[in-house]
Amino acid sequence: MPKTSNSPQEKTPEPAIRAYLGGSFDPVHNGHLEVAMSVYQHLLPIATQLQRTLHVSLLPNARSPFKTQSTDPSHRLNMLKLATENTPIQINELELWQAPPVYTINSVRTLRQQYPNDSLIFIMGMDSAHSLDKWKDGLRLTDHVNLWVFNRQSSTDVSDGVGEKFSDSIISSKNHTVTVQDIATLQSQLPLSLQPHIIDSPIELLTPTIHHSTNSSSSNSTNPNNTDPTSTDLKNANQGRIYIDSRPITAVSSTQIREQLQRIDDQTNKMPVAERQIASIASINDIISNTESNPLAKWLNPAVYQYIIAHQLYSAAQFR
């Protein structure tokens, strides 16, 4: 007889660990995977020790209302599938098919409702975390999830919780010694109300606590429209903490990648048909062999680049 949920011998599984990296992924590139894999590799031994399932997912968003052009969601999803093939990184389509604007606060509320007992972690750069007070209910993200904040320099990208949640980045491979002063400086960049929730280690994002935030009831009462039952006791064991990853990361703008793709397309379109085909193959070979002369080689998965060429994405003609 198969086991049922009422079987006294059945052990309740430990809550899962779920981390999300949001963005437009237009296109997805190696920087996104580098950050997601870093979180996965950091959490895997902890999850194994705690006997908990680990899920690290890319969370592609709907088109930002601040962008006049955006690649069709089906193309972005296909490129994500190619980029994450043979990796443990998953794809969550929660936001992808919604009509914009889609706000991060609504997404994390939905995730908390879906996984009320799991440890939920939202990944972002310090440039985004620094401006959370300008997002729609950005300071309330920690009512529903923990934050993993990467040390990234400020960018000119504008975000209010709609569109990119994490600017295109990659962890620096250079040796870098982080001082106590560096960490203090990073912590001071968070909005003041979030600074008390900073922790020292990512394991604290996962370990239950027996105390709750003294501000939880007052925080909840200030929002009479809050009907989310999971936020009755804020800053609980699965949410409300902020880990600042002090490892430096360098960044590349997805806009720069698209512009480079447009330049390549514009150049090849001026060639005769036969030469154009040879040039496209050469570019793919550059990426496969990681040729330094091709600036896209560092950032684009060869399968993703082939998909871009095959579907004529980011071509100069699109933007005329």
Side-chain angles (χ1 to χ4, degrees):
M1 175 181 292
K3 290 185 178 181
T4 68
S5 58
N6 295 324
S7 172
Q9 283 78 28
E10 184 175 342
K11 183 180 178 181
T12 303
E14 293 292 333
I17 302 166
R18 301 178 186 275
Y20 301 90
L21 173 62
S24 64
F25 305 109
D26 194 9
V28 61
H29 61 69
N30 296 341
H32 298 125
L33 271 295
E34 186 83 12
V35 170
M37 281 300 302
S38 173
V39 172
Y40 181 88
Q41 291 166 353
H42 209 131
L43 290 179
L44 183 58
I46 302 173
T48 302
Q49 181 179 4
L50 298 175
Q51 297 184 320
R52 299 174 66 179
T53 304
L54 174 62
H55 306 273
V56 177
S57 303
L58 303 180
L59 186 69
N61 55 42
R63 180 183 61 81
S64 167
F66 302 110
K67 294 182 179 179
T68 56
Q69 292 96 10
S70 183
T71 304
D72 187 277
S74 60
H75 283 313
R76 290 191 284 132
L77 179 59
N78 288 338
M79 288 188 286
L80 283 167
K81 290 177 179 178
L82 291 170
T84 55
E85 191 174 5
N86 300 320
T87 78
I89 305 303
Q90 303 172 20
I91 303 167
N92 186 298
E93 300 179 30
L94 171 66
E95 296 184 353
L96 188 61
W97 307 108
Q98 296 184 50
V102 179
Y103 293 98
T104 304
I105 186 64
N106 295 332
S107 297
V108 297
R109 281 177 182 151
T110 298
L111 290 168
R112 175 52 66 200
Q113 290 168 352
Q114 289 179 348
Y115 308 111
N117 300 316
D118 292 354
S119 295
L120 303 186
I121 301 169
F122 200 80
I123 306 164
M124 64 174 59
M126 180 55 80
D127 53 326
S128 294
H130 175 72
S131 61
L132 278 176
D133 55 348
K134 297 178 177 62
W135 291 27
K136 178 179 172 60
D137 293 334
L139 297 181
R140 298 189 65 88
L141 291 185
T142 53
D143 291 355
H144 310 280
V145 296
N146 293 315
L147 301 182
W148 186 313
V149 180
F150 274 89
N151 172 16
R152 183 186 183 279
Q153 298 298 315
S154 297
S155 82
T156 56
D157 294 338
V158 177
S159 176
D160 69 342
V162 184
E164 298 271 0
K165 267 75 109 187
F166 192 94
S167 299
D168 306 328
S169 309
I170 192 165
I171 297 172
S172 174
S173 59
K174 296 180 180 179
N175 294 328
H176 182 85
T177 302
V178 180
T179 66
V180 174
Q181 185 176 358
D182 291 334
I183 295 174
T185 300
L186 284 171
Q187 293 177 348
S188 68
Q189 293 179 36
L190 279 181
L192 195 60
S193 63
L194 296 180
Q195 292 181 21
H197 306 299
I198 295 173
I199 57 174
D200 297 325
S201 167
I203 196 171
E204 295 180 63
L205 299 175
L206 315 174
T207 308
T209 56
I210 59 173
H211 68 279
H212 301 285
S213 169
T214 57
N215 297 325
S216 61
S217 59
S218 61
S219 174
N220 209 31
S221 62
T222 58
N223 185 6
N225 297 321
N226 186 2
T227 58
D228 179 7
T230 64
S231 63
T232 301
D233 192 3
L234 307 181
K235 310 299 185 290
N236 70 17
N238 296 317
Q239 61 214 42
R241 303 174 190 169
I242 302 171
Y243 171 63
I244 298 179
D245 194 325
S246 56
R247 292 173 298 170
I249 56 177
T250 56
V252 59
S253 167
S254 58
T255 301
Q256 290 175 318
I257 289 182
R258 290 194 298 270
E259 289 175 350
Q260 179 64 26
L261 287 165
Q262 291 165 36
R263 281 195 294 269
I264 292 175
D265 178 77
D266 195 36
Q267 291 168 0
T268 55
N269 280 339
K270 296 176 181 177
M271 300 177 182
V273 176
E275 292 183 20
R276 191 184 313 167
Q277 187 175 9
I278 294 172
S280 296
I281 295 172
S283 296
I284 294 172
N285 289 337
D286 283 347
I287 291 180
I288 293 174
S289 59
N290 196 22
T291 303
E292 291 185 3
S293 60
N294 188 332
L296 297 175
K298 179 181 179 181
W299 299 107
L300 285 180
N301 179 298
V304 171
Y305 190 50
Q306 283 183 285
Y307 185 93
I308 289 170
I309 292 175
H311 295 272
Q312 298 182 337
L313 303 181
Y314 314 114
S315 65
Q318 283 183 285
F319 299 90
R320 290 185 183 134

